[in-house]
Amino acid sequence: MVLGLPDASLRPFVDRYVGYRERADVPLVRRESAGVFVVLILGWGAPLDVTDPRSAQRGVTAVDSFVAGTFDSWCTTRTVGVGEGVELLLAPLTARRLLGLPLSELTNRAVGVGQLPGRWLDRLRGRLAEATGWSERFDLLDRVLAARLAASPPVDPRLDWAWRWLAASGGRGSVGVLADELGWSRRHLASRFRQEVGLPPKMAARLLRFQQAHAASTQAGEVGRGVDWAAVAAGCGYYDQSHLIRDFHEFAGATPAALLSGR
């Protein structure tokens, strides 16, 4: 795995590039948790499958490059062989500008990059595969993403502010207060948010809390500490520990303790 830092002009939009090369001699299956982010994989190695257990139509099979929109449940990936590529995790409104389409069209869906408008990501994948090393690949990503953002119209500043407000609160801010701050009705806020972010604001808030709890528990596990789940729940804005466990079941497919022990 190789981490790349984007150009300074891109860091408000992309925090890092993750280059990887991975060999799986037997089928490798991972459970991927839900989140209010968009996953972009540009690969040129062994293909993989993305499966949402709720519906086969939401996944994609035998692709090396795909975009996964905002998901409100867990899914799995499966691959065998040698995979190589770059992974980016994008904030929803950044992905909306880069992809040039409302994220409501990608909610709970994984789509091969060849199916997206303009096929520019498919061409970029080919150029990344032909590059001689990671430094060259990350420089290429800088140039292409910067040009794409410069050519795309900005999102509605009110919606951008709404997303930043909700994200800054860790999902603990009141959606009613947010609507009042914008001067919108709750119904109008929910409609606009769902169209551009892919999920309604209440679900986005739940996922932001879950992401924070998931990160806190993972960090504790990595340093070998026991996890005080009640403290994690309180620190992430949950009413109680049972609500935390409910969200882990729904968004990760396992209890917090089971997920941590299986990592």
Side-chain angles (χ1 to χ4, degrees):
M1 184 175 291
V2 181
L3 301 182
L5 188 64
D7 182 79
S9 64
L10 283 172
R11 288 176 209 164
F13 306 98
V14 183
D15 64 344
R16 66 178 182 174
Y17 305 132
V18 181
Y20 65 88
R21 188 175 191 274
E22 181 173 63
R23 176 173 175 170
D25 293 325
V26 297
L28 174 63
V29 180
R30 287 192 176 97
R31 183 177 296 179
E32 308 291 352
S33 299
V36 196
F37 49 78
V38 173
V39 179
L40 171 60
I41 299 288
L42 296 173
W44 48 89
L48 53 76
D49 304 334
V50 182
T51 304
D52 184 333
R54 300 172 297 178
S55 171
Q57 285 70 38
R58 293 173 172 173
V60 65
T61 59
V63 296
D64 54 23
S65 304
F66 68 91
V67 171
T70 47
F71 265 74
D72 61 14
S73 186
W74 58 276
C75 62
T76 61
T77 59
R78 180 187 186 278
T79 188
V80 61
V82 178
E84 191 168 9
V86 180
E87 178 187 71
L88 287 79
L89 297 183
L90 302 171
L93 297 181
T94 295
R96 196 265 181 263
R97 289 184 62 184
L98 287 172
L99 299 176
L101 75 167
L103 291 190
S104 57
E105 298 185 22
L106 293 174
T107 304
N108 290 321
R109 291 182 61 205
V111 179
V113 297
Q115 298 176 258
L116 295 170
R119 299 182 64 89
W120 68 278
L121 281 171
D122 197 30
R123 293 192 295 272
L124 175 58
R125 182 210 64 82
R127 294 172 66 188
L128 289 169
E130 293 169 0
T132 58
W134 292 111
S135 179
E136 183 179 339
R137 290 182 180 119
F138 296 153
D139 287 344
L140 175 59
L141 284 167
D142 277 348
R143 296 194 301 274
V144 172
L145 297 183
R148 184 76 181 179
L149 286 168
S152 68
V155 298
D156 185 328
R158 295 166 296 181
L159 195 63
D160 182 61
W161 184 87
W163 163 252
R164 293 178 184 277
W165 186 93
L166 198 62
S169 76
R172 284 170 277 187
S174 164
V175 174
V177 170
L178 176 57
D180 291 341
E181 290 282 345
L182 288 167
W184 287 352
S185 69
R186 293 191 187 191
R187 178 176 294 182
H188 183 69
L189 172 61
S191 174
R192 292 297 312 281
F193 215 87
R194 185 192 294 271
Q195 180 182 21
E196 300 297 344
V197 174
L199 298 167
K202 284 189 176 181
M203 177 58 74
R206 281 185 64 195
L207 284 165
L208 286 165
R209 290 194 297 272
F210 163 73
Q211 287 170 205
Q212 189 177 35
H214 191 290
S217 61
T218 300
Q219 184 179 26
E222 286 174 348
V223 298
R225 295 200 313 265
V227 182
D228 183 342
W229 296 111
V232 170
C236 296
Y238 283 94
Y239 181 75
D240 56 26
Q241 188 173 337
S242 66
H243 284 76
L244 171 73
I245 294 172
R246 176 203 64 185
D247 275 6
F248 268 77
H249 267 296
E250 183 172 344
F251 299 144
T255 66
L259 197 68
L260 193 61
S261 65
R263 180 170 292 276

